[in-house]
Each structure stands twice: as C-alpha cells, then as structure tokens.
Amino acid sequence: MTTTEIDTKTFRAFGLDETTLRSIGAMHYEHPTDVQLEAIPLALAGKDLVVQSRTGTGKTAAFGIPIVEKIDAEGAFVQAMVLTPTRELTAQVCEELGRIGHDKGVKAEAIYGGESIEKQIDGIRAGAQVIVGTPGRVLDLLRRGELKLGGVRFLVLDEADKMLDMGFAQEMSDIMHFVPGERQTCLFSATIPLGIRGIIHNYLNEPSWISLSEDFAYVKEVRHTYIMAPAAQKEDVLYKVIELDQPTASMIFCNTRNEVRSVSTFLARQGLPVAMISSDLTQKKREQVMSRFRAGTIRHLVATDVAARGIDIDDLSHVFIYSTPDSPEDYIHRAGRTGRIGRSGNVVSLVSANDLVNFNRQANRYELELIEREVPTAEEITKRRTERLLSRLEEVALENTGELTPLVDALWEHPKGKLIVAALVKKRLDETSKVEVVDEDESDAPKENVSERGPGQQRRRRRGRRPRQVS
Ligand code: AMP
C-alpha cells in the first residue's frame, strides 16, 4: 500500500470538521470501515444513497458522520431524522449520534414506544436537532403536533427491510407527508426485496447504490459450519457443541417461541448461563437481560428473529442456528451477528431432515462455503474440559509457596490420595466461580428444575466457572 493510499483511508481525508474528528478520535475509531469509506463522501456531497449493508459493519457512523457534519448546531430545530425498526436500535443509533456530535454540540433525541412520551417531548422542546425514532411513536408525536419536521434536510431509513417486515409500511408513508420533499434521503438495508424497491422508487431521488458484497455472510472471518442432527437430538447436540467450543458469548436462533422456551430450559438445566429473549418481555426486563449478557453473567441468548431485532452485541463468538430459517435473508441476518469488524466468528447450523430444503436454498443463494462438523464425542468434551480445568489449576499452582510440598508428597503415597485431591480441586473450583442461570420467566426458573432430571441423566449441574474466565 502506498502512502497516498493510506492517507485517503482516514477520517481526516473526508474533510470533516475538527470537532467531528475529535469526537471520532474519542470513540477510538482509527480507520473508516468499508461502508464508511464508500458512503461518507457521497453523503457529504449530498447524494441520495441506497446502502446494502448489515449491522456490525459500521453503518451507523456511515450516516451519523454526514448527519453531524450537516447539522447547524446553533439551530434549535429538527434538521435530520433517522427511522429505525426497533427501540433498541433507536437507542443505539441515538447514542452513537450523540457521541459523534458531542464536540460539535449536536443534540439527538430517541423517540420510541415503551418510554415516557413526556420525557421525549421535553427533549424535542429542548432543541434536539436529530430525531432517531421508531415509526409508530414518531407518527404519534407528529399527529400531536409535538414533533415538527419542516426543517428536516436529511432523512435516514435504517434497516429498512426490517421496518417493512415489522409492518411499518403505512407509518413510513404517513411520515413522509411531514418531511419536506427538498431533502437528502439515505436508505440502509441488509436485503433489497421488492417492497424496498418500491420505497426507493417513491422516496429517493436518483440514489447511488452501495453494495458491499462481502457483507453477505462472506465476512471472511466467519466460519459457516453445520451439523446434521435429527430434530429430536438437536438440544443434546447443541449442548455438546457448547461444551466443546465454550463460546465466550453466543446467540441461539430458533424459528418458534416454543422452540426458544424448550432450548433455553434444556440448556439451563445443564447449568449453562442462558437466558431467552422473547418479544413480549418488558423493556426493563429486556434491558436487564442485555446488560447481564454484556457483563458476561449470561453467556447464551436464545431468541427468535423477531425477538432478536435490534439487539446489537459486538463480540459474539458464536451464532447457533438451531433451526434453519425459511428465508435465506434471515440466515444472513442471523449469521451477521458474529464476525463484527475485525473479529472472527463461528456460525453453527443444526440441520435436520426438515431443514434440508431451506438449508440448501440458503447455501446456494449465497454460495456459502459450508464446513460440516461432527457431533462432539464425550471423549472430546471431557478432554477439552480437562484441559481447561488444568490450565485454571496451573494458575492456582503459582500461588503455592512450597511450604506444602511435604504434605503433597504424603498425599501422593496415601491410599485415598486421589479422592482427597479430587475433593480439594472441586472445592477450589466451586469457590472461585459461580454460574448464574437466568430465565425471564421467574416461575420457570431452572434452578428449581434441577431435581426433575431423570435418573438416566448423567450430567451434573455445572458450577465452578465464571463466564469469560475460561476460554
Ligand atoms: P454498526 O454497524 O453501526 O452497528 O457498528 C458496529 C460496531 O462497530 C459498533 O460498535 C461501532 O461502534 C463500531 N464501529 C463503527 N465504526 C467503526 C470504526 N471506524 N472503527 C472501529 N469501530 C467502529
């Protein structure tokens, strides 16, 4: 790479305001991502854009930076609006915009259902220049006359395909009546189905198209693997893979809510730190689960596509596709949860005979390079678990000052030496860690279910590992 090439791949090369550069620096973004490199110059030049890019590629800053650049920080009126499908995405986008616009003094307000409308109205009245919101609540505030969009010059439709999926087509169309025709519009969407083409035709003006093909699950670092497993054995196979791979954090996608419940209960009964996310969780509960997931207290989230919308976690090591989705696009959305910027990731699909038609369809559609895995054997799991425990015990060994050596020698010779050592090791492991099992439905708390295990079930409830301490 020549020096000039390096120079053109910096945020400074976009000719951004010093305040914006300072904010980006404070966020530790060193180099623009691919989508940012392509979208930012065009957006700054005033072009309408269609950007085919999924979450995790840096797309928020791809529109966030041009928005901040275009805002007149002195003007206390709404100048830009971002519509997103979910409250979580709204909150995340608003937070990122707030950070990018921090030094310039740009004020962004998040508007979504389930939160106090009065607080949001206060934010608008306080002079928010950017509104980020879900279509329903935005429309509500427009109709009440609390939100005025007459000064909007920049409109973003974020995750537009999801907005359509969630049935927001009418709201989006209604909102357009409140936004001036003289504006710049950018549409971001992981997929471009027919409905999105209609939106592009109706609301965008000769847009430039940016399509980052490697986005489409070609994210090179992601390993796409699959295991053939009869439907009735999937839970067990999933558990074995988790035991072998020890994901630092994973999402497990199911097709139905019943499946979500069954899988999360099963894993919880094995003692794994798991929680399920369902769409009827209260916002508060959802946030609690998410913050415990981010903190590593919960390591596995089980969800349907609908329930997982808007959940954005950067460092998932694994995505498990428990049942193959009907639409190939959903595979991309699921798989795209891992392998975020510069990170590696694993996608593991559990494929039964019922899944085969859909599975082959998605493999062909995206020309996925799929690697078949075998079901982990008990020996492999035991070996891996032993290795992990040994490495932890090695850490303990460092604490030994040598004064116990005579005792250890005696133990070595003792007829019950092995039993004593086993008991000591167990005690030590139990002390140093504890696993927390969480289910959003308290009445179904898996702790109580442990005793329900059948006599044939060998697995003990595993205590003794604190998430993220062992890899
Ligand atoms: P997004 O696709 O907007 O959800 O971004 C995914 C993640 O990448 C977020 O955590 C961003 O904060 C982060 N990110 C965005 N742009 C950059 C960048 N240029 N360098 C490093 N991280 C970034």
Side-chain angles (χ1 to χ4, degrees):
M1 195 183 270
T2 65
T3 321
T4 20
E5 273 170 334
I6 291 167
D7 284 345
T8 56
K9 293 195 172 178
T10 62
F11 285 105
R12 186 166 288 281
F14 295 135
L16 305 178
D17 198 86
E18 284 303 322
T19 51
T20 314
L21 287 172
R22 263 207 311 276
S23 297
I24 295 171
M27 294 163 80
H28 305 292
Y29 292 1
E30 286 175 14
H31 300 286
T33 63
D34 289 348
V35 66
Q36 291 161 4
L37 278 172
E38 298 226 20
I40 292 175
L42 290 168
L44 288 174
K47 286 290 298 172
D48 277 12
L49 296 181
V50 174
V51 185
Q52 204 173 348
S53 177
R54 62 177 174 82
T55 297
T57 51
K59 69 179 171 65
T60 314
F63 60 78
I65 291 171
I67 286 183
V68 165
E69 284 290 294
K70 283 167 190 271
I71 296 289
D72 166 12
E74 304 296 317
F77 61 97
V78 180
Q79 301 164 44
M81 182 168 70
V82 183
L83 289 180
T84 89
T86 64
R87 47 198 181 191
E88 282 84 4
L89 189 61
T90 292
Q92 281 159 23
V93 168
C94 190
E95 196 195 320
E96 179 138 352
L97 275 165
R99 290 164 73 200
I100 299 170
H102 179 267
D103 282 38
K104 186 169 175 183
V106 171
K107 290 195 280 293
E109 183 66 26
I111 287 188
Y112 51 92
E115 274 282 317
S116 149
I117 198 161
E118 281 73 29
K119 201 179 135 274
Q120 295 172 357
I121 291 173
D122 287 348
I124 298 168
R125 287 186 184 157
Q129 293 123 346
V130 188
I131 294 295
V132 187
T134 49
R137 180 57 73 91
V138 166
L139 196 57
D140 188 5
L141 284 165
L142 281 169
R143 288 188 173 139
R144 289 176 189 222
E146 293 291 352
L147 178 61
K148 301 208 168 43
L149 298 179
V152 164
R153 295 283 170 268
F154 200 104
L155 175 70
V156 176
L157 305 174
D158 193 14
E159 297 201 2
D161 51 352
K162 285 289 166 203
M163 280 200 277
L164 282 195
D165 280 357
M166 293 180 76
F168 283 135
Q170 188 58 49
E171 281 87 347
M172 285 162 76
S173 143
D174 291 348
I175 290 169
M176 292 301 172
H177 295 297
F178 292 88
V179 188
E182 190 76 8
R183 60 157 198 270
Q184 186 180 352
T185 309
C186 296
L187 177 141
F188 286 72
S189 197
T191 59
I192 311 282
L194 217 55
I196 292 294
R197 290 188 187 272
I199 290 191
I200 294 168
H201 177 76
N202 289 338
Y203 305 125
L204 275 73
N205 180 22
E206 296 180 9
S208 298
W209 286 66
I210 297 174
S211 177
L212 297 165
S213 56
E214 80 267 29
D215 257 9
F216 269 76
Y218 292 115
V219 187
K220 294 173 202 71
E221 298 89 335
V222 174
R223 279 179 81 226
H224 299 271
T225 62
Y226 69 98
I227 299 183
M228 297 304 298
Q233 288 170 23
K234 277 189 179 183
E235 290 180 344
D236 196 52
V237 171
L238 172 65
Y239 173 65
K240 285 180 172 152
V241 179
I242 292 177
E243 279 296 274
L244 188 72
D245 286 14
Q246 288 293 313
T248 47
S250 86
M251 277 187 80
I252 299 160
F253 284 98
C254 299
N255 283 356
T256 65
R257 289 165 61 166
N258 277 347
E259 233 171 44
V260 167
R261 181 160 285 277
S262 168
V263 170
S264 56
T265 306
F266 178 85
L267 295 179
R269 284 184 184 169
Q270 314 309 319
L272 293 183
V274 60
M276 62 182 184
I277 289 272
S278 62
S279 35
D280 48 12
L281 275 193
T282 62
Q283 179 65 5
K284 190 158 161 264
K285 189 76 204 177
R286 201 173 159 102
E287 275 161 15
Q288 270 172 6
V289 171
M290 290 315 298
S291 77
R292 297 171 94 176
F293 187 67
R294 290 200 172 89
T297 327
I298 296 171
R299 271 214 267 179
H300 311 285
L301 278 185
V302 192
T304 58
D305 297 287
V306 174
R309 268 176 198 149
I311 290 181
D312 184 25
I313 308 144
D314 275 344
D315 50 1
L316 284 184
S317 63
H318 285 65
V319 163
F320 292 101
I321 300 188
Y322 186 80
S323 34
T324 308
D326 289 339
S327 111
E329 280 84 17
D330 281 337
Y331 180 85
I332 300 302
H333 280 288
R334 293 177 178 188
R337 301 303 185 120
T338 184
R340 295 296 175 86
I341 299 170
R343 297 196 179 94
S344 62
N346 294 284
V347 181
V348 185
S349 293
L350 302 182
V351 183
S352 70
N354 284 343
D355 294 316
L356 265 178
V357 172
N358 284 334
F359 188 71
N360 286 330
R361 202 146 52 94
Q362 77 199 9
N364 294 336
R365 167 83 69 92
Y366 297 111
E367 295 174 2
L368 297 174
E369 211 178 281
L370 291 158
I371 305 162
E372 183 167 9
R373 282 183 66 170
E374 298 297 324
V375 178
T377 62
E379 292 73 38
E380 282 174 310
I381 295 169
T382 308
K383 185 164 170 272
R384 189 70 64 87
R385 192 183 292 158
T386 308
E387 284 166 3
R388 275 197 317 274
L389 293 178
L390 263 183
S391 78
R392 285 186 56 203
L393 289 170
E394 273 168 17
E395 287 168 25
V396 179
L398 297 176
E399 296 165 15
N400 181 13
T401 54
E403 68 200 59
L404 292 177
T405 306
L407 175 64
V408 175
D409 287 342
L411 265 179
W412 209 254
E413 306 295 329
H414 196 282
K416 289 191 179 157
K418 273 192 180 171
L419 281 177
I420 297 171
V421 170
L424 288 173
V425 167
K426 181 173 182 308
K427 188 159 182 292
R428 170 76 197 193
L429 294 175
D430 281 356
E431 275 166 10
T432 51
S433 51
K434 75 176 191 295
V435 155
E436 203 170 334
V437 180
V438 189
D439 189 315
E440 102 281 14
D441 181 353
E442 305 296 347
S443 63
D444 197 23
K447 284 186 180 93
E448 276 73 60
N449 289 333
V450 176
S451 59
E452 287 174 22
R453 270 177 288 131
Q457 281 183 273
Q458 298 294 319
R459 284 184 208 98
R460 270 189 315 112
R461 185 176 169 70
R462 265 185 328 114
R463 299 171 66 235
R465 278 185 298 104
R466 195 174 189 84
R468 290 182 195 280
Q469 279 187 337
V470 185
S471 55

